[in-house]
Amino acid sequence: MKKRALLWFTRDLRIQDNPMLYWAAENSFEVVALAFETYGNSIIQKEYYQRSVFEIESKFRKHKIPFYLLKGKPEQEVPRWVQDNSIDLVLTQDSFNTRDRKALSRIENKLGAQRVKTFFNQTLIDIDKIPFEIVNLPNVFTQFRKIVERSDCIGAEVSSDLSSVLGFSPKIPDGAEFLPLTTNSASEAFPFNLKAGESGSLERINEFFWQTNAVANYKDTRNGMLAKDDSSKLSVGLGLGCISARTIYHELKKFEDLNGANESTEWFIFELLWRDYFKLLASKIGDKLFSRAGISQQTKSWTSDPNSFAAWCNGETGADFIDANMIELKETGWMSNRGRQNVASYLAKTLQIDWTLGAQYFENSLIDFDTESNWGNWLYVAGVGTDPRDRVFNYKRQAEMYDPDFAYRKAWLPTNYSFKKDSSSS
Ligand code: FAD
C-alpha cells in the first residue's frame, strides 16, 4: 500500500514552486489536501483568501485529488484526519514567527514530530544556505543584504505540478464541517482590480514586468501612492503564498537578461530581501516581535486613549495626509508603503499610542497582511526595533513631498472633510 500524506495548506496557496507538492510527488505519497477558514478578519481579506483557496481547489479537482476547506482549528482537525485515514505524514509550511510556530508545535506534540514534515518555502533565500546562524542575523539590514549578495544563497524554484501527485478518497471524520468552495461574486473588487489566487499573481507579474515594463522605472515610482504601477502590488499574492518570492525573482532575472539590469530592478530585489530580513528577524527575536517593548525592550510610556485610537482607525484625526491613508485602508484593504510608514509613525510617535494596537489593526485590515513584515515594520517605525535612528516622520513635510498637488488626498478624503488647524493643507 502506498504511503499517505495530508497536505495542510496555509500561506502557500500555489501549485508552482511549492516544495510540499514536489516532495509528495517525488516520494510517491497518496494525498488529501486541507485548508482552514482561519485566515482573514475583514470582508476583503476573507474574500481574497476564499477565492485563492477556490482556485487551488479547482485545480486539485481537475486532477481528482480531494481538497477540503474546513471550519474549526487545525490543531483539533488535523490529528482527527490523520487518525481516521491512517495518514503517515502531515506536510505543511513552517513558520518564522512564534505565534504560528506554537500552533504547529501543538500538532507536532499530538502526532509526534516525526509525523509532521515542514517546509520553509516563504523566503527568496534558501535558509539552509545562509552563511550564519539566525541568532547572528545582523541588526542592520544593509549588512544582511551584503552577506546575501556575497554568498550564493538565493533559492531555486522547484518544478511542482499536480500531474504526478496522487489523491485518495478519505474517510471524513465525524462532525467535520466544510465551508462551501464558492465565493460571493458580488464583491468582486479588490484594490486596483487585482485578482486573487495564483493566476492573479502571475497575471500581475506579467503586467508589471512585461506589459507595462513598469519594473524598469520602479526606483523612481515606488514612493507613489495612487497609481497601480507605482509599485508591484505583489505583496498581495505573497501574503497568502499565491506566488513565491523565488518565482518573482527568477522572472525578474529573465527580464534583466532581455532588457538589462538597472537601479530599479536591483532595488526591487532589495525590497524582496527586506521581506526575508523580517522573516529571519522574527525567528531571531521570538515573542519580542509582538511585544510592546520590542527588541530593544524599551519602557516607553504609551497611551491608549480609545477615542484617539478610533479617530486614527477611521481617518478622523484631522491630519489630512494621515486620514486619507487610513480611509483608503478601511475602504480597500490597501495602503502604500509611504502611507504605512507615515500613519504608523503618527500613531506611535505623534499620538504616542501603543503601537501594538496599530499593528493589530493593520493585521485585521491589510489585504497583503504578512505577520513578519507587518509586525517587523511596526517595530521599526515605533522605535523599538533595531533602527538606531529612531526617526519621526514629519507627515506634513511628507505630504508636501509625496502628494504636492493633493491628488492622493482628494481621491480619498470625503468632500465634507474637516481639516485640523495645523493640518498640511490649512
Ligand atoms: P513593492 O514596492 O513592489 O516591493 C516588492 C516586494 O518587496 C513587496 O511585494 C514586498 O514583498 C517586499 N517589500 C517591499 N517593501 C517592504 C518592506 N518595507 N518590508 C518587507 N517587505 C517589503 N508588507 C507586507 O507584505 N505585509 C504587511 O502586512 C506589511 N505591513 C507593513 C506595516 C508597516 C507599518 C509598514 C511600514 C510596512 C509594511 N509592509 C508590509 C511593507 C510594505 O509596505 C509592503 O510590502 C509594500 O507596500 C507592498 O507593496 P508592493 O507589493 O507594491 O511593494
Side-chain angles (χ1 to χ4, degrees):
M1 197 172 117
K2 282 204 182 294
K3 288 201 167 184
R4 289 182 160 181
L6 185 154
L7 308 181
W8 169 22
F9 279 86
T10 57
R11 292 183 177 275
D12 53 353
L13 297 177
R14 62 176 182 274
I15 307 294
Q16 196 173 324
D17 189 31
N18 190 327
M20 168 170 96
L21 285 179
Y22 178 77
W23 194 93
E26 280 289 290
N27 292 281
S28 307
F29 273 66
E30 283 184 328
V31 307
V32 60
L34 302 183
F36 290 85
E37 64 173 338
T38 36
Y39 293 96
N41 180 70
S42 70
I43 293 172
I44 204 142
Q45 287 174 325
K46 285 192 168 119
E47 181 74 11
Y48 193 87
Y49 176 67
Q50 286 192 13
R51 275 176 187 270
S52 301
V53 171
F54 181 54
E55 182 182 307
I56 202 166
E57 187 273 341
S58 61
K59 289 181 185 162
F60 269 64
R61 199 171 348 117
K62 273 191 199 129
H63 285 86
K64 300 197 170 32
I65 309 167
F67 189 119
Y68 302 98
L69 177 59
L70 286 175
K71 289 190 178 177
K73 291 205 165 109
E75 50 264 52
Q76 279 153 10
E77 295 302 315
V78 169
R80 291 192 328 125
W81 284 70
V82 167
Q83 201 175 15
D84 287 7
N85 288 287
S86 308
I87 283 170
D88 300 283
L89 261 187
V90 174
L91 307 184
T92 195
Q93 185 179 66
D94 213 319
S95 168
F96 290 92
N97 71 75
T98 50
R99 208 170 55 182
D100 293 342
R101 192 79 215 27
K102 280 175 194 160
L104 194 50
S105 296
R106 283 196 284 277
I107 295 187
E108 288 171 339
N109 290 341
K110 275 191 188 168
L111 296 175
Q114 74 287 354
R115 287 179 80 188
V116 183
K117 181 167 177 55
T118 60
F119 300 83
F120 280 102
N121 59 15
Q122 298 179 44
T123 47
L124 174 56
I125 53 174
D126 179 342
I127 58 162
D128 293 330
K129 288 191 184 162
I130 45 174
F132 55 82
E133 298 291 324
I134 290 186
V135 287
N136 296 324
L137 176 76
N139 281 343
V140 179
F141 167 76
T142 312
Q143 287 174 12
F144 161 74
R145 198 196 80 212
K146 287 188 174 151
I147 298 176
V148 170
E149 282 166 0
R150 278 199 305 271
S151 50
D152 181 21
C153 62
I154 300 287
E157 285 181 279
V158 295
S159 54
S160 47
D161 65 49
L162 288 178
S163 58
S164 40
V165 178
L166 303 167
F168 72 88
S169 293
K171 173 181 178 303
I172 308 292
D174 289 344
E177 283 190 79
F178 302 98
L179 280 162
L181 280 157
T182 52
T183 54
N184 172 10
S185 54
S187 57
E188 282 271 346
F190 296 121
F192 305 102
N193 281 324
L194 294 167
K195 307 268 175 10
E198 185 168 26
S199 61
S201 291
L202 291 169
E203 185 179 312
R204 183 61 193 143
I205 293 186
N206 191 33
E207 266 175 15
F208 189 69
F209 289 7
W210 301 109
Q211 286 175 16
T212 64
N213 276 12
V215 70
N217 303 313
Y218 171 73
K219 188 159 182 269
D220 302 324
T221 59
R222 57 185 280 274
N223 282 308
M225 305 173 74
L226 261 179
K228 185 174 187 179
D229 283 338
D230 284 340
S231 65
S232 71
K233 313 296 183 286
L234 283 166
S235 57
V236 178
L238 279 166
L240 287 177
C242 299
I243 188 87
S244 77
R246 293 176 194 175
T247 296
I248 298 174
Y249 173 88
H250 291 291
E251 196 67 18
L252 185 67
K253 288 287 144 189
K254 282 184 211 155
F255 182 89
E256 287 184 340
D257 286 346
L258 278 168
N259 301 294
N262 67 14
E263 280 193 322
S264 285
T265 56
E266 281 163 14
W267 203 281
F268 191 80
I269 295 170
F270 293 173
E271 295 299 342
L272 286 175
L273 289 176
W274 262 112
R275 179 174 171 275
D276 280 12
Y277 181 73
F278 281 121
K279 294 203 179 287
L280 299 187
L281 184 73
S283 179
K284 176 178 169 176
I285 67 175
D287 290 337
K288 286 181 189 160
L289 181 67
F290 307 107
S291 96
R292 202 184 302 168
I295 310 178
S296 50
Q297 290 291 294
Q298 280 190 45
T299 44
K300 290 192 178 189
S301 55
W302 302 101
T303 64
S304 58
D305 169 34
N307 293 332
S308 307
F309 180 63
W312 178 81
C313 296
N314 294 324
E316 292 168 353
T317 65
D320 58 1
F321 190 59
I322 302 302
D323 290 346
N325 276 287
M326 294 305 291
I327 292 169
E328 181 184 16
L329 176 62
K330 195 171 189 175
E331 290 187 7
T332 69
W334 177 260
M335 191 191 292
S336 68
N337 184 54
R338 184 59 38 195
R340 294 178 204 202
Q341 289 177 317
N342 273 280
V343 302
S345 169
Y346 187 81
L347 185 85
K349 301 261 173 77
T350 308
L351 300 176
Q352 297 183 339
I353 291 179
D354 175 0
W355 68 272
T356 62
L357 296 174
Q360 190 61 54
Y361 182 76
F362 267 33
E363 171 161 350
N364 293 339
S365 311
L366 281 172
I367 190 171
D368 67 357
F369 170 67
D370 172 88
T371 310
E372 296 85 4
S373 299
N374 185 56
W375 288 83
N377 270 290
W378 268 97
L379 274 178
Y380 266 70
V381 181
V384 291
T386 52
D387 185 353
R389 289 170 295 176
D390 197 7
R391 286 169 296 172
V392 184
F393 280 80
N394 179 339
Y395 62 92
K396 290 183 216 162
R397 174 120 181 74
Q398 292 268 315
E400 281 162 20
M401 282 169 69
Y402 296 106
D403 189 31
D405 52 5
F406 284 79
Y408 176 76
R409 279 165 287 177
K410 279 187 194 144
W412 290 106
L413 294 174
T415 42
N416 61 352
Y417 180 77
S418 54
F419 292 94
K420 197 162 80 174
K421 271 210 179 80
D422 69 345
S423 183
S424 45
S425 54
S426 58

